[in-house]
Amino acid sequence: MRFTTVMAALVVVAGFYFGLSYLLAGNWAAAGFGIVDPDGYYVVKGVRDIAYGLTALILLLMKQRRALGWVVLADSIIPIGDCLAVITHGGTVAHGLTVHGSAAVLVLFTAWLLLREKAPAQTPQAEPVPAR
């Protein structure tokens, strides 16, 4: 297996490990993260959202629309999770659904649009005219 593939797989595993750590053992994970001041949450949330936006932007600019569709679909878990967090941690159902539920619907709709696109037809390349 190529070294680059191993490193990429480690990035994926780390993402799942840290994400699941916060979901399953939040206090332990938070202590390990090192932020004592709860205002640090805003920095973490902001960086997460900027990273998601940059990932989507890179794929869009590189014209990788199918890959973008899959990334947007996978990342739809963000507003779904945010909605559930609001509803289960002191927010109202109305606020959770209005803000985060509607965002989830829009993200899922965008993923659906991207994934159902047909690849543009390849125009045949003209044969080069031999030099005389």
Side-chain angles (χ1 to χ4, degrees):
M1 183 177 290
R2 291 175 36 187
F3 179 71
T4 306
T5 304
V6 171
M7 294 305 293
L10 286 175
V11 168
V12 171
V13 170
F16 281 114
Y17 172 77
F18 291 120
L20 288 171
S21 293
Y22 276 95
L23 291 175
L24 301 175
N27 290 334
W28 173 81
F33 191 84
I35 293 179
V36 178
D37 181 359
D39 286 344
Y41 161 80
Y42 301 119
V43 175
V44 172
K45 172 100 169 75
V47 169
R48 176 195 76 172
D49 289 347
I50 289 169
Y52 164 71
L54 285 173
T55 301
L57 177 63
I58 290 166
L59 291 171
L60 185 62
L61 292 175
M62 293 180 68
K63 299 180 181 174
Q64 298 294 318
R65 297 175 70 80
R66 186 109 179 126
L68 175 59
W70 286 110
V71 167
V72 170
L73 179 63
D75 286 343
S76 68
I77 197 166
I78 294 171
I80 293 168
D82 291 349
C83 179
L84 292 172
V86 168
I87 292 170
T88 59
H89 290 84
T92 66
V93 171
H95 186 86
L97 292 175
T98 301
V99 174
H100 305 290
S102 64
V105 169
L106 289 172
V107 170
L108 287 166
F109 179 66
T110 302
W112 177 75
L113 289 173
L114 286 162
L115 290 171
R116 69 184 290 272
E117 280 185 344
K118 301 279 187 244
Q122 296 290 330
T123 56
Q125 296 291 332
E127 295 280 329
V129 178
R132 292 185 188 209

